[in-house]
Amino acid sequence: IKHLNIATTEDIYYYNNRIFVVTEHLNVSFAQLEFQKYDLEEREIATILTKVLKGVTYISSLKLSCKDLSQENI
């Protein structure tokens, strides 16, 4: 999967009936950001959500699911 709003997939492994996806390392996750420390404007929040939704829309267009979508994975 190659998309501006999705971490790069480095490798995929199948072991013991499980699939493991190795992605690029990102320094911070959405959950680690302390938004209460920032006075975000509505347009900044809209920009963040737009980028997340573009990534999810792209994954869905490939007929893939986002079963593990959480703040820690964004």
Side-chain angles (χ1 to χ4, degrees):
I1 298 176
K2 292 196 184 278
H3 190 273
L4 179 65
N5 303 110
I6 300 174
T8 303
T9 302
E10 302 292 339
D11 214 336
I12 300 174
Y13 298 96
Y14 182 77
Y15 178 74
N16 278 350
N17 241 7
R18 296 185 68 178
I19 297 173
F20 299 89
V21 180
V22 180
T23 63
E24 71 177 299
H25 175 75
L26 302 175
N27 293 328
V28 66
S29 74
F30 196 72
Q32 292 170 315
L33 295 175
E34 297 180 29
F35 286 106
Q36 58 271 29
K37 287 186 178 180
Y38 305 101
D39 188 22
L40 295 177
E41 295 180 17
E42 186 175 334
R43 68 175 170 73
E44 293 171 309
I45 295 168
T47 299
I48 293 168
L49 290 174
T50 298
K51 290 179 183 233
V52 170
L53 291 174
K54 282 182 178 181
V56 171
T57 300
Y58 178 73
I59 290 171
S60 295
S61 75
L62 298 175
K63 305 284 191 253
L64 299 172
S65 66
C66 304
K67 291 183 178 183
D68 195 24
L69 190 61
S70 67
Q71 287 183 350
E72 289 79 18
N73 295 332
I74 295 176

